[in-house]
């Protein structure tokens, strides 16, 4: 009986210490925080010097263009040239809204690249109507080339 009581006391002691360890482990320790300032890297691209609202609008626009390119890619893989043509024209083409937007940034080089991009989308739309996959992919690549040029030259 004495041995049983000693065993129970030992297990109780171990359990209390185990709980104590768990509480100590779960208690967050104070850590000194370090504030890291964003680093601005001069990567040689031209800044468009946009305000926060313009940046958000431009990012939204670029994402919309990227989504349209993705949709076109899927449509071409499905040989759905009519819908690909429609997407190219309506979402990437030289609409009045797109022309005005390209001109609103105050940088002639940016405006030129933007207008050429949208013009190439109009041409791409026409190529799709001919239902030739190789020519369609070449037209898509030509349009994407303007994206690459613009992103290599400009930053927000």
């Amino acid at each position: 009986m004495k041995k049983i009581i000693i065993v129970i006391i030992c297990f109780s002691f171990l359990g209390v210490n185990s709980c104590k360890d768990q509480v100590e482990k779960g208690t967050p320790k104070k850590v000194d925080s370090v504030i890291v300032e964003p680093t601005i890297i001069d990567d040689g691209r031209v800044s468009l010097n946009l305000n926060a609202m313009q940046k958000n609008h431009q990012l939204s626009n670029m994402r919309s263009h990227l989504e349209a390119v993705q949709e076109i890619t899927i449509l071409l893989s499905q040989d759905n040239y009519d819908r690909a043509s429609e997407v190219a024209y309506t979402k990437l083409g030289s609409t009045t809204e797109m022309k005005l937007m390209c001109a609103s940034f105050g940088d002639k080089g940016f405006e030129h690249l933007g207008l050429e991009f949208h013009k190439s989308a109009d041409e791409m739309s026409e190529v799709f109507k001919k239902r030739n996959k190789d020519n369609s992919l070449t037209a898509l690549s030509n349009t994407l080339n303007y994206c690459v040029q613009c992103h290599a030259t400009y930053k927000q």
Side-chain angles (χ1 to χ4, degrees), residues 22-64:
Q22 291 298 336
V23 170
E24 287 176 1
K25 288 178 185 173
T27 304
K29 295 179 182 177
K30 184 175 179 187
V31 177
D32 292 331
S33 59
V34 177
I35 299 174
V36 178
E37 294 294 325
T39 303
I40 299 175
I41 298 172
D42 183 6
D43 60 4
R45 294 182 296 159
V46 175
S47 175
L48 292 172
N49 297 313
L50 305 178
N51 65 41
M53 185 188 74
Q54 290 172 315
K55 283 182 180 184
N56 285 331
H57 182 75
Q58 184 64 7
L59 281 173
S60 175
N61 225 11
M62 294 297 100
R63 289 179 182 128
S64 175

Side-chain angles (χ1 to χ4, degrees), residues 36-149:
V36 178
E37 294 294 325
T39 303
I40 299 175
I41 298 172
D42 183 6
D43 60 4
R45 294 182 296 159
V46 175
S47 175
L48 292 172
N49 297 313
L50 305 178
N51 65 41
M53 185 188 74
Q54 290 172 315
K55 283 182 180 184
N56 285 331
H57 182 75
Q58 184 64 7
L59 281 173
S60 175
N61 225 11
M62 294 297 100
R63 289 179 182 128
S64 175
H65 290 353
L66 186 58
E67 288 169 358
V69 169
Q70 181 185 30
E71 184 177 358
I72 288 167
T73 304
I74 291 168
L75 291 167
L76 291 178
S77 75
Q78 298 169 345
D79 295 327
N80 191 344
Y81 295 99
D82 293 334
R83 179 70 183 130
S85 176
E86 182 182 331
V87 170
Y89 186 76
T90 59
K91 294 185 178 181
L92 302 175
S94 296
T95 63
T96 301
E97 178 187 7
M98 292 299 177
K99 289 177 184 177
L100 290 172
M101 195 172 311
C102 290
S104 71
F105 291 95
D107 184 289
K108 291 298 179 187
F110 180 81
E111 179 180 357
H112 174 75
L113 270 176
L115 293 174
E116 289 300 309
F117 164 79
H118 293 296
K119 180 180 168 188
S120 76
D122 293 336
E123 294 166 1
M124 178 173 61
S125 174
E126 293 302 313
V127 169
F128 293 166
K129 292 177 182 178
K130 296 177 183 166
R131 302 179 179 282
N132 179 297
K133 189 160 281 187
D134 289 341
N135 291 345
S136 294
L137 291 173
T138 299
L140 177 58
S141 178
N142 183 50
T143 297
L144 285 170
N145 185 51
Y146 287 105
C147 298
V148 171
Q149 285 181 52

